Amino acid sequence: MLSIALKNHFLRSSIDGANLAATVLRALDDGETVCIEFSGVEIMTPSFANAFVMLLLERYEVPQLRERCEFLNRSDHVVCAMNRSVERYQQGIRLTTQRRPA
């Protein structure tokens, strides 16, 4: 299992979201499960959340992520930011680097 404790209280950058997604995807692709500790996170911007969530959803469906990823101690704000990104993805919204669904 890959365990990640986020140290930054303010998750703002899409680049940081993409980097976290890349780390998680490497572990998932290797058959690992992932646990991310969010207890210190106070703010997660849509830019960070979209990059993180949409890159995960590009490769794995929500049920697969629920089964293999554990997100601990998320504040209501973080839960909402991530859920909004899932909703956007399901509505067909993508990052500029992602292909639009047919």
Side-chain angles (χ1 to χ4, degrees):
M1 173 183 280
L2 173 64
S3 294
I4 301 170
L6 298 175
K7 304 290 185 203
N8 195 339
H9 297 290
F10 306 103
L11 302 177
R12 294 186 172 125
S13 161
S14 62
I15 293 170
D16 291 341
N19 288 339
L20 180 59
T23 300
V24 170
L25 288 169
R26 276 192 300 276
L28 294 176
D29 290 347
D30 287 343
E32 292 185 67
T33 57
V34 177
C35 180
I36 303 176
E37 171 62 54
F38 285 88
S39 63
V41 177
E42 296 174 31
I43 293 174
M44 179 184 283
T45 66
S47 295
F48 181 97
N50 287 342
F52 175 60
V53 170
M54 290 182 182
L55 289 171
L56 295 179
L57 290 174
E58 185 174 40
R59 195 156 331 149
Y60 292 95
E61 294 182 12
V62 171
Q64 293 172 302
L65 292 172
R66 284 190 178 136
E67 182 179 307
R68 299 184 56 206
C69 295
E70 186 174 8
F71 302 126
L72 300 176
N73 300 312
R74 293 182 298 164
S75 68
D76 290 342
H77 171 77
V78 170
V79 170
C80 286
M82 291 176 71
N83 285 344
R84 279 193 305 266
S85 294
V86 171
E87 290 168 6
R88 287 183 192 111
Y89 192 88
Q90 291 172 336
Q91 293 168 354
I93 297 170
R94 298 294 184 268
L95 302 171
T96 57
T97 58
Q98 293 176 314
R99 248 182 21 176
R100 298 218 181 264

